[in-house]
Amino acid sequence: MDLRDTTAPALVGVRRWASRTLTQVDDAHLGDVLLVATELVTNAYDHGQGPVQIRTSHTTAPCRVRIEVEDSSAEHPVIAAPSLKRAGGRGMRIVDKLAADWGVQEHPANGGKTVWADVSCDGVDAVPCAAASRRRI
């Protein structure tokens, strides 16, 4: 999904797009995926000169969803210490808690980067990926 020249209200569209794109992911895990996607895109708006593009991919073995958000800044995201004195700074902490792994791929040619996160469908609430066919939209 191309996000060039968008603003924060585009986050609703990002969530709708991801929900339509990831039909094979069950509702229990889709919530985590949507939250991680929202936090990565918000981080790109706040610190990355705005997002350029968001991509998702899904694998069934192991059951994982990868979210990638590309932006035009070389600045890497950081996990900030929580503080009651500032409104923001919790997004990457949320990503770190919900994602099985996350990282940054730099793009030296254009000075930008892609921040990616893998959200696992495994865990205490695990539902086989095939169960997603029963998902209501």
PDB file of all heavy atoms in Angstrom, residues 62-98:
ATOM      1  N   PRO A  62       6.636 -21.610   9.741  1.00  0.00           N
ATOM      2  CA  PRO A  62       5.779 -21.314  10.900  1.00  0.00           C
ATOM      3  C   PRO A  62       4.755 -20.232  10.543  1.00  0.00           C
ATOM      4  O   PRO A  62       4.975 -19.436   9.636  1.00  0.00           O
ATOM      5  CB  PRO A  62       6.762 -20.793  11.943  1.00  0.00           C
ATOM      6  CG  PRO A  62       7.848 -20.148  11.147  1.00  0.00           C
ATOM      7  CD  PRO A  62       7.963 -20.990   9.893  1.00  0.00           C
ATOM      8  N   CYS A  63       3.680 -20.224  11.278  1.00  0.00           N
ATOM      9  CA  CYS A  63       2.620 -19.255  11.041  1.00  0.00           C
ATOM     10  C   CYS A  63       3.094 -17.884  11.527  1.00  0.00           C
ATOM     11  O   CYS A  63       3.216 -17.653  12.727  1.00  0.00           O
ATOM     12  CB  CYS A  63       1.345 -19.678  11.765  1.00  0.00           C
ATOM     13  SG  CYS A  63      -0.069 -18.652  11.332  1.00  0.00           S
ATOM     14  N   ARG A  64       3.405 -17.003  10.569  1.00  0.00           N
ATOM     15  CA  ARG A  64       3.900 -15.656  10.885  1.00  0.00           C
ATOM     16  C   ARG A  64       3.398 -14.658   9.860  1.00  0.00           C
ATOM     17  O   ARG A  64       3.201 -14.993   8.708  1.00  0.00           O
ATOM     18  CB  ARG A  64       5.422 -15.602  10.858  1.00  0.00           C
ATOM     19  CG  ARG A  64       6.029 -16.304  12.013  1.00  0.00           C
ATOM     20  CD  ARG A  64       7.479 -15.983  12.148  1.00  0.00           C
ATOM     21  NE  ARG A  64       7.931 -16.774  13.272  1.00  0.00           N
ATOM     22  CZ  ARG A  64       8.764 -16.372  14.173  1.00  0.00           C
ATOM     23  NH1 ARG A  64       9.296 -15.185  14.078  1.00  0.00           N
ATOM     24  NH2 ARG A  64       9.101 -17.131  15.177  1.00  0.00           N
ATOM     25  N   VAL A  65       3.251 -13.430  10.334  1.00  0.00           N
ATOM     26  CA  VAL A  65       2.961 -12.315   9.448  1.00  0.00           C
ATOM     27  C   VAL A  65       4.116 -11.338   9.567  1.00  0.00           C
ATOM     28  O   VAL A  65       4.515 -10.972  10.674  1.00  0.00           O
ATOM     29  CB  VAL A  65       1.638 -11.616   9.826  1.00  0.00           C
ATOM     30  CG1 VAL A  65       1.431 -10.359   8.983  1.00  0.00           C
ATOM     31  CG2 VAL A  65       0.465 -12.571   9.676  1.00  0.00           C
ATOM     32  N   ARG A  66       4.660 -10.935   8.435  1.00  0.00           N
ATOM     33  CA  ARG A  66       5.707  -9.907   8.417  1.00  0.00           C
ATOM     34  C   ARG A  66       5.068  -8.606   7.945  1.00  0.00           C
ATOM     35  O   ARG A  66       4.379  -8.570   6.937  1.00  0.00           O
ATOM     36  CB  ARG A  66       6.857 -10.271   7.494  1.00  0.00           C
ATOM     37  CG  ARG A  66       7.861  -9.103   7.398  1.00  0.00           C
ATOM     38  CD  ARG A  66       9.166  -9.496   6.843  1.00  0.00           C
ATOM     39  NE  ARG A  66       9.929 -10.147   7.909  1.00  0.00           N
ATOM     40  CZ  ARG A  66      11.250 -10.279   7.880  1.00  0.00           C
ATOM     41  NH1 ARG A  66      11.946  -9.814   6.872  1.00  0.00           N
ATOM     42  NH2 ARG A  66      11.868 -10.895   8.864  1.00  0.00           N
ATOM     43  N   ILE A  67       5.327  -7.553   8.711  1.00  0.00           N
ATOM     44  CA  ILE A  67       4.894  -6.210   8.356  1.00  0.00           C
ATOM     45  C   ILE A  67       6.152  -5.408   8.086  1.00  0.00           C
ATOM     46  O   ILE A  67       7.081  -5.417   8.895  1.00  0.00           O
ATOM     47  CB  ILE A  67       4.102  -5.549   9.505  1.00  0.00           C
ATOM     48  CG1 ILE A  67       2.902  -6.403   9.903  1.00  0.00           C
ATOM     49  CG2 ILE A  67       3.647  -4.149   9.119  1.00  0.00           C
ATOM     50  CD1 ILE A  67       2.994  -6.940  11.272  1.00  0.00           C
ATOM     51  N   GLU A  68       6.194  -4.719   6.948  1.00  0.00           N
ATOM     52  CA  GLU A  68       7.340  -3.883   6.590  1.00  0.00           C
ATOM     53  C   GLU A  68       6.831  -2.477   6.291  1.00  0.00           C
ATOM     54  O   GLU A  68       5.894  -2.310   5.506  1.00  0.00           O
ATOM     55  CB  GLU A  68       8.038  -4.416   5.343  1.00  0.00           C
ATOM     56  CG  GLU A  68       8.584  -5.806   5.493  1.00  0.00           C
ATOM     57  CD  GLU A  68       9.220  -6.321   4.203  1.00  0.00           C
ATOM     58  OE1 GLU A  68       8.975  -5.733   3.126  1.00  0.00           O
ATOM     59  OE2 GLU A  68       9.952  -7.306   4.286  1.00  0.00           O
ATOM     60  N   VAL A  69       7.459  -1.479   6.923  1.00  0.00           N
ATOM     61  CA  VAL A  69       7.111  -0.086   6.658  1.00  0.00           C
ATOM     62  C   VAL A  69       8.375   0.627   6.205  1.00  0.00           C
ATOM     63  O   VAL A  69       9.363   0.679   6.927  1.00  0.00           O
ATOM     64  CB  VAL A  69       6.500   0.602   7.898  1.00  0.00           C
ATOM     65  CG1 VAL A  69       6.259   2.079   7.619  1.00  0.00           C
ATOM     66  CG2 VAL A  69       5.202  -0.089   8.301  1.00  0.00           C
ATOM     67  N   GLU A  70       8.312   1.158   4.997  1.00  0.00           N
ATOM     68  CA  GLU A  70       9.443   1.870   4.411  1.00  0.00           C
ATOM     69  C   GLU A  70       9.254   3.368   4.625  1.00  0.00           C
ATOM     70  O   GLU A  70       8.139   3.888   4.496  1.00  0.00           O
ATOM     71  CB  GLU A  70       9.485   1.555   2.915  1.00  0.00           C
ATOM     72  CG  GLU A  70      10.637   2.148   2.172  1.00  0.00           C
ATOM     73  CD  GLU A  70      10.598   1.774   0.705  1.00  0.00           C
ATOM     74  OE1 GLU A  70      10.014   0.729   0.346  1.00  0.00           O
ATOM     75  OE2 GLU A  70      11.154   2.549  -0.086  1.00  0.00           O
ATOM     76  N   ASP A  71      10.341   4.058   4.978  1.00  0.00           N
ATOM     77  CA  ASP A  71      10.296   5.514   5.081  1.00  0.00           C
ATOM     78  C   ASP A  71      11.585   6.113   4.512  1.00  0.00           C
ATOM     79  O   ASP A  71      12.466   5.378   4.080  1.00  0.00           O
ATOM     80  CB  ASP A  71      10.009   5.980   6.511  1.00  0.00           C
ATOM     81  CG  ASP A  71      11.099   5.662   7.511  1.00  0.00           C
ATOM     82  OD1 ASP A  71      12.300   5.823   7.182  1.00  0.00           O
ATOM     83  OD2 ASP A  71      10.774   5.266   8.639  1.00  0.00           O
ATOM     84  N   SER A  72      11.677   7.429   4.540  1.00  0.00           N
ATOM     85  CA  SER A  72      12.804   8.128   3.897  1.00  0.00           C
ATOM     86  C   SER A  72      13.891   8.568   4.861  1.00  0.00           C
ATOM     87  O   SER A  72      14.786   9.299   4.480  1.00  0.00           O
ATOM     88  CB  SER A  72      12.277   9.364   3.162  1.00  0.00           C
ATOM     89  OG  SER A  72      11.345   8.976   2.197  1.00  0.00           O
ATOM     90  N   SER A  73      13.829   8.133   6.103  1.00  0.00           N
ATOM     91  CA  SER A  73      14.803   8.552   7.103  1.00  0.00           C
ATOM     92  C   SER A  73      15.771   7.419   7.420  1.00  0.00           C
ATOM     93  O   SER A  73      15.384   6.251   7.479  1.00  0.00           O
ATOM     94  CB  SER A  73      14.089   8.965   8.392  1.00  0.00           C
ATOM     95  OG  SER A  73      15.015   9.196   9.429  1.00  0.00           O
ATOM     96  N   ALA A  74      17.023   7.774   7.655  1.00  0.00           N
ATOM     97  CA  ALA A  74      18.016   6.777   8.049  1.00  0.00           C
ATOM     98  C   ALA A  74      17.983   6.519   9.552  1.00  0.00           C
ATOM     99  O   ALA A  74      18.591   5.570  10.046  1.00  0.00           O
ATOM    100  CB  ALA A  74      19.415   7.251   7.651  1.00  0.00           C
ATOM    101  N   GLU A  75      17.250   7.334  10.297  1.00  0.00           N
ATOM    102  CA  GLU A  75      17.174   7.206  11.762  1.00  0.00           C
ATOM    103  C   GLU A  75      16.467   5.905  12.155  1.00  0.00           C
ATOM    104  O   GLU A  75      15.351   5.633  11.704  1.00  0.00           O
ATOM    105  CB  GLU A  75      16.417   8.400  12.334  1.00  0.00           C
ATOM    106  CG  GLU A  75      16.318   8.401  13.834  1.00  0.00           C
ATOM    107  CD  GLU A  75      15.523   9.598  14.346  1.00  0.00           C
ATOM    108  OE1 GLU A  75      15.385  10.590  13.628  1.00  0.00           O
ATOM    109  OE2 GLU A  75      15.031   9.507  15.479  1.00  0.00           O
ATOM    110  N   HIS A  76      17.134   5.112  12.987  1.00  0.00           N
ATOM    111  CA  HIS A  76      16.563   3.845  13.439  1.00  0.00           C
ATOM    112  C   HIS A  76      15.583   4.071  14.591  1.00  0.00           C
ATOM    113  O   HIS A  76      15.793   4.967  15.409  1.00  0.00           O
ATOM    114  CB  HIS A  76      17.671   2.901  13.919  1.00  0.00           C
ATOM    115  CG  HIS A  76      18.436   2.268  12.804  1.00  0.00           C
ATOM    116  ND1 HIS A  76      18.770   0.952  12.812  1.00  0.00           N
ATOM    117  CD2 HIS A  76      18.916   2.755  11.631  1.00  0.00           C
ATOM    118  CE1 HIS A  76      19.442   0.650  11.711  1.00  0.00           C
ATOM    119  NE2 HIS A  76      19.545   1.739  10.984  1.00  0.00           N
ATOM    120  N   PRO A  77      14.545   3.252  14.672  1.00  0.00           N
ATOM    121  CA  PRO A  77      13.631   3.357  15.807  1.00  0.00           C
ATOM    122  C   PRO A  77      14.320   2.883  17.086  1.00  0.00           C
ATOM    123  O   PRO A  77      15.239   2.056  17.031  1.00  0.00           O
ATOM    124  CB  PRO A  77      12.474   2.426  15.437  1.00  0.00           C
ATOM    125  CG  PRO A  77      13.043   1.481  14.446  1.00  0.00           C
ATOM    126  CD  PRO A  77      14.154   2.204  13.741  1.00  0.00           C
ATOM    127  N   VAL A  78      13.879   3.417  18.201  1.00  0.00           N
ATOM    128  CA  VAL A  78      14.430   3.017  19.499  1.00  0.00           C
ATOM    129  C   VAL A  78      13.284   2.674  20.438  1.00  0.00           C
ATOM    130  O   VAL A  78      12.176   3.185  20.300  1.00  0.00           O
ATOM    131  CB  VAL A  78      15.309   4.126  20.132  1.00  0.00           C
ATOM    132  CG1 VAL A  78      16.529   4.391  19.283  1.00  0.00           C
ATOM    133  CG2 VAL A  78      14.516   5.402  20.325  1.00  0.00           C
ATOM    134  N   ILE A  79      13.592   1.801  21.371  1.00  0.00           N
ATOM    135  CA  ILE A  79      12.629   1.474  22.417  1.00  0.00           C
ATOM    136  C   ILE A  79      12.901   2.436  23.566  1.00  0.00           C
ATOM    137  O   ILE A  79      13.917   2.331  24.253  1.00  0.00           O
ATOM    138  CB  ILE A  79      12.772   0.009  22.874  1.00  0.00           C
ATOM    139  CG1 ILE A  79      12.530  -0.916  21.689  1.00  0.00           C
ATOM    140  CG2 ILE A  79      11.809  -0.286  24.013  1.00  0.00           C
ATOM    141  CD1 ILE A  79      12.791  -2.372  21.988  1.00  0.00           C
ATOM    142  N   ALA A  80      12.013   3.390  23.738  1.00  0.00           N
ATOM    143  CA  ALA A  80      12.197   4.415  24.764  1.00  0.00           C
ATOM    144  C   ALA A  80      11.697   3.913  26.115  1.00  0.00           C
ATOM    145  O   ALA A  80      10.783   3.090  26.194  1.00  0.00           O
ATOM    146  CB  ALA A  80      11.437   5.680  24.369  1.00  0.00           C
ATOM    147  N   ALA A  81      12.326   4.424  27.154  1.00  0.00           N
ATOM    148  CA  ALA A  81      11.856   4.125  28.511  1.00  0.00           C
ATOM    149  C   ALA A  81      10.507   4.807  28.711  1.00  0.00           C
ATOM    150  O   ALA A  81      10.317   5.949  28.285  1.00  0.00           O
ATOM    151  CB  ALA A  81      12.868   4.626  29.536  1.00  0.00           C
ATOM    152  N   PRO A  82       9.558   4.112  29.341  1.00  0.00           N
ATOM    153  CA  PRO A  82       8.244   4.730  29.546  1.00  0.00           C
ATOM    154  C   PRO A  82       8.360   5.957  30.451  1.00  0.00           C
ATOM    155  O   PRO A  82       9.168   5.990  31.367  1.00  0.00           O
ATOM    156  CB  PRO A  82       7.418   3.636  30.216  1.00  0.00           C
ATOM    157  CG  PRO A  82       8.314   2.498  30.475  1.00  0.00           C
ATOM    158  CD  PRO A  82       9.646   2.777  29.877  1.00  0.00           C
ATOM    159  N   SER A  83       7.548   6.950  30.162  1.00  0.00           N
ATOM    160  CA  SER A  83       7.548   8.168  30.959  1.00  0.00           C
ATOM    161  C   SER A  83       6.144   8.748  30.996  1.00  0.00           C
ATOM    162  O   SER A  83       5.465   8.813  29.972  1.00  0.00           O
ATOM    163  CB  SER A  83       8.507   9.200  30.355  1.00  0.00           C
ATOM    164  OG  SER A  83       8.364  10.436  31.004  1.00  0.00           O
ATOM    165  N   LEU A  84       5.723   9.169  32.158  1.00  0.00           N
ATOM    166  CA  LEU A  84       4.427   9.827  32.284  1.00  0.00           C
ATOM    167  C   LEU A  84       4.512  11.282  31.839  1.00  0.00           C
ATOM    168  O   LEU A  84       3.500  11.959  31.710  1.00  0.00           O
ATOM    169  CB  LEU A  84       3.942   9.755  33.737  1.00  0.00           C
ATOM    170  CG  LEU A  84       3.669   8.343  34.257  1.00  0.00           C
ATOM    171  CD1 LEU A  84       3.324   8.381  35.739  1.00  0.00           C
ATOM    172  CD2 LEU A  84       2.555   7.691  33.463  1.00  0.00           C
ATOM    173  N   LYS A  85       5.713  11.767  31.595  1.00  0.00           N
ATOM    174  CA  LYS A  85       5.920  13.174  31.247  1.00  0.00           C
ATOM    175  C   LYS A  85       5.820  13.449  29.753  1.00  0.00           C
ATOM    176  O   LYS A  85       5.807  14.591  29.347  1.00  0.00           O
ATOM    177  CB  LYS A  85       7.279  13.650  31.766  1.00  0.00           C
ATOM    178  CG  LYS A  85       7.345  13.623  33.274  1.00  0.00           C
ATOM    179  CD  LYS A  85       8.670  14.113  33.761  1.00  0.00           C
ATOM    180  CE  LYS A  85       8.680  14.030  35.296  1.00  0.00           C
ATOM    181  NZ  LYS A  85       9.938  14.480  35.840  1.00  0.00           N
ATOM    182  N   ARG A  86       5.766  12.416  28.928  1.00  0.00           N
ATOM    183  CA  ARG A  86       5.613  12.653  27.491  1.00  0.00           C
ATOM    184  C   ARG A  86       4.517  11.738  26.940  1.00  0.00           C
ATOM    185  O   ARG A  86       4.320  10.620  27.406  1.00  0.00           O
ATOM    186  CB  ARG A  86       6.925  12.480  26.747  1.00  0.00           C
ATOM    187  CG  ARG A  86       7.482  11.140  26.696  1.00  0.00           C
ATOM    188  CD  ARG A  86       8.730  11.086  25.790  1.00  0.00           C
ATOM    189  NE  ARG A  86       9.050   9.707  25.660  1.00  0.00           N
ATOM    190  CZ  ARG A  86       9.817   9.032  26.504  1.00  0.00           C
ATOM    191  NH1 ARG A  86      10.390   9.648  27.497  1.00  0.00           N
ATOM    192  NH2 ARG A  86      10.005   7.746  26.338  1.00  0.00           N
ATOM    193  N   ALA A  87       3.848  12.267  25.942  1.00  0.00           N
ATOM    194  CA  ALA A  87       2.693  11.554  25.383  1.00  0.00           C
ATOM    195  C   ALA A  87       3.091  10.337  24.566  1.00  0.00           C
ATOM    196  O   ALA A  87       2.425   9.317  24.602  1.00  0.00           O
ATOM    197  CB  ALA A  87       1.873  12.508  24.525  1.00  0.00           C
ATOM    198  N   GLY A  88       4.164  10.433  23.809  1.00  0.00           N
ATOM    199  CA  GLY A  88       4.553   9.338  22.930  1.00  0.00           C
ATOM    200  C   GLY A  88       5.668   8.502  23.517  1.00  0.00           C
ATOM    201  O   GLY A  88       5.960   8.541  24.704  1.00  0.00           O
ATOM    202  N   GLY A  89       6.280   7.722  22.638  1.00  0.00           N
ATOM    203  CA  GLY A  89       7.449   6.958  23.040  1.00  0.00           C
ATOM    204  C   GLY A  89       7.190   5.520  23.430  1.00  0.00           C
ATOM    205  O   GLY A  89       8.089   4.840  23.897  1.00  0.00           O
ATOM    206  N   ARG A  90       5.976   5.047  23.215  1.00  0.00           N
ATOM    207  CA  ARG A  90       5.661   3.675  23.617  1.00  0.00           C
ATOM    208  C   ARG A  90       5.484   2.733  22.435  1.00  0.00           C
ATOM    209  O   ARG A  90       5.370   1.529  22.597  1.00  0.00           O
ATOM    210  CB  ARG A  90       4.402   3.668  24.468  1.00  0.00           C
ATOM    211  CG  ARG A  90       4.612   4.321  25.812  1.00  0.00           C
ATOM    212  CD  ARG A  90       3.282   4.605  26.505  1.00  0.00           C
ATOM    213  NE  ARG A  90       3.471   5.371  27.722  1.00  0.00           N
ATOM    214  CZ  ARG A  90       3.672   6.677  27.784  1.00  0.00           C
ATOM    215  NH1 ARG A  90       3.722   7.378  26.675  1.00  0.00           N
ATOM    216  NH2 ARG A  90       3.826   7.294  28.932  1.00  0.00           N
ATOM    217  N   GLY A  91       5.449   3.270  21.222  1.00  0.00           N
ATOM    218  CA  GLY A  91       5.155   2.471  20.033  1.00  0.00           C
ATOM    219  C   GLY A  91       6.099   1.314  19.808  1.00  0.00           C
ATOM    220  O   GLY A  91       5.672   0.177  19.604  1.00  0.00           O
ATOM    221  N   MET A  92       7.394   1.568  19.853  1.00  0.00           N
ATOM    222  CA  MET A  92       8.341   0.484  19.603  1.00  0.00           C
ATOM    223  C   MET A  92       8.395  -0.489  20.776  1.00  0.00           C
ATOM    224  O   MET A  92       8.726  -1.658  20.586  1.00  0.00           O
ATOM    225  CB  MET A  92       9.727   1.032  19.269  1.00  0.00           C
ATOM    226  CG  MET A  92       9.801   1.703  17.903  1.00  0.00           C
ATOM    227  SD  MET A  92       9.132   0.731  16.526  1.00  0.00           S
ATOM    228  CE  MET A  92      10.247  -0.661  16.485  1.00  0.00           C
ATOM    229  N   ARG A  93       8.036  -0.045  21.954  1.00  0.00           N
ATOM    230  CA  ARG A  93       7.928  -0.966  23.099  1.00  0.00           C
ATOM    231  C   ARG A  93       6.786  -1.949  22.839  1.00  0.00           C
ATOM    232  O   ARG A  93       6.900  -3.145  23.101  1.00  0.00           O
ATOM    233  CB  ARG A  93       7.699  -0.186  24.393  1.00  0.00           C
ATOM    234  CG  ARG A  93       7.667  -1.054  25.630  1.00  0.00           C
ATOM    235  CD  ARG A  93       7.658  -0.230  26.891  1.00  0.00           C
ATOM    236  NE  ARG A  93       8.902   0.508  27.083  1.00  0.00           N
ATOM    237  CZ  ARG A  93      10.041  -0.017  27.546  1.00  0.00           C
ATOM    238  NH1 ARG A  93      10.081  -1.292  27.851  1.00  0.00           N
ATOM    239  NH2 ARG A  93      11.103   0.717  27.701  1.00  0.00           N
ATOM    240  N   ILE A  94       5.687  -1.454  22.302  1.00  0.00           N
ATOM    241  CA  ILE A  94       4.551  -2.315  21.946  1.00  0.00           C
ATOM    242  C   ILE A  94       4.963  -3.298  20.853  1.00  0.00           C
ATOM    243  O   ILE A  94       4.681  -4.502  20.944  1.00  0.00           O
ATOM    244  CB  ILE A  94       3.343  -1.465  21.506  1.00  0.00           C
ATOM    245  CG1 ILE A  94       2.794  -0.690  22.709  1.00  0.00           C
ATOM    246  CG2 ILE A  94       2.262  -2.323  20.859  1.00  0.00           C
ATOM    247  CD1 ILE A  94       1.789   0.379  22.350  1.00  0.00           C
ATOM    248  N   VAL A  95       5.633  -2.800  19.821  1.00  0.00           N
ATOM    249  CA  VAL A  95       6.108  -3.667  18.736  1.00  0.00           C
ATOM    250  C   VAL A  95       7.023  -4.746  19.300  1.00  0.00           C
ATOM    251  O   VAL A  95       6.893  -5.932  18.970  1.00  0.00           O
ATOM    252  CB  VAL A  95       6.829  -2.842  17.640  1.00  0.00           C
ATOM    253  CG1 VAL A  95       7.525  -3.758  16.636  1.00  0.00           C
ATOM    254  CG2 VAL A  95       5.844  -1.916  16.937  1.00  0.00           C
ATOM    255  N   ASP A  96       7.936  -4.358  20.177  1.00  0.00           N
ATOM    256  CA  ASP A  96       8.883  -5.309  20.756  1.00  0.00           C
ATOM    257  C   ASP A  96       8.173  -6.400  21.563  1.00  0.00           C
ATOM    258  O   ASP A  96       8.595  -7.551  21.561  1.00  0.00           O
ATOM    259  CB  ASP A  96       9.891  -4.559  21.634  1.00  0.00           C
ATOM    260  CG  ASP A  96      11.048  -5.429  22.063  1.00  0.00           C
ATOM    261  OD1 ASP A  96      11.722  -5.993  21.172  1.00  0.00           O
ATOM    262  OD2 ASP A  96      11.276  -5.559  23.282  1.00  0.00           O
ATOM    263  N   LYS A  97       7.095  -6.054  22.241  1.00  0.00           N
ATOM    264  CA  LYS A  97       6.344  -7.030  23.046  1.00  0.00           C
ATOM    265  C   LYS A  97       5.502  -7.970  22.177  1.00  0.00           C
ATOM    266  O   LYS A  97       5.377  -9.156  22.477  1.00  0.00           O
ATOM    267  CB  LYS A  97       5.429  -6.316  24.046  1.00  0.00           C
ATOM    268  CG  LYS A  97       6.158  -5.560  25.109  1.00  0.00           C
ATOM    269  CD  LYS A  97       6.840  -6.483  26.071  1.00  0.00           C
ATOM    270  CE  LYS A  97       7.499  -5.686  27.174  1.00  0.00           C
ATOM    271  NZ  LYS A  97       8.421  -6.459  27.951  1.00  0.00           N
ATOM    272  N   LEU A  98       4.908  -7.443  21.107  1.00  0.00           N
ATOM    273  CA  LEU A  98       3.996  -8.252  20.298  1.00  0.00           C
ATOM    274  C   LEU A  98       4.688  -9.043  19.190  1.00  0.00           C
ATOM    275  O   LEU A  98       4.179 -10.072  18.763  1.00  0.00           O
ATOM    276  CB  LEU A  98       2.916  -7.364  19.672  1.00  0.00           C
ATOM    277  CG  LEU A  98       1.926  -6.736  20.635  1.00  0.00           C
ATOM    278  CD1 LEU A  98       0.959  -5.831  19.880  1.00  0.00           C
ATOM    279  CD2 LEU A  98       1.162  -7.803  21.407  1.00  0.00           C
TER     280      LEU A  98
END
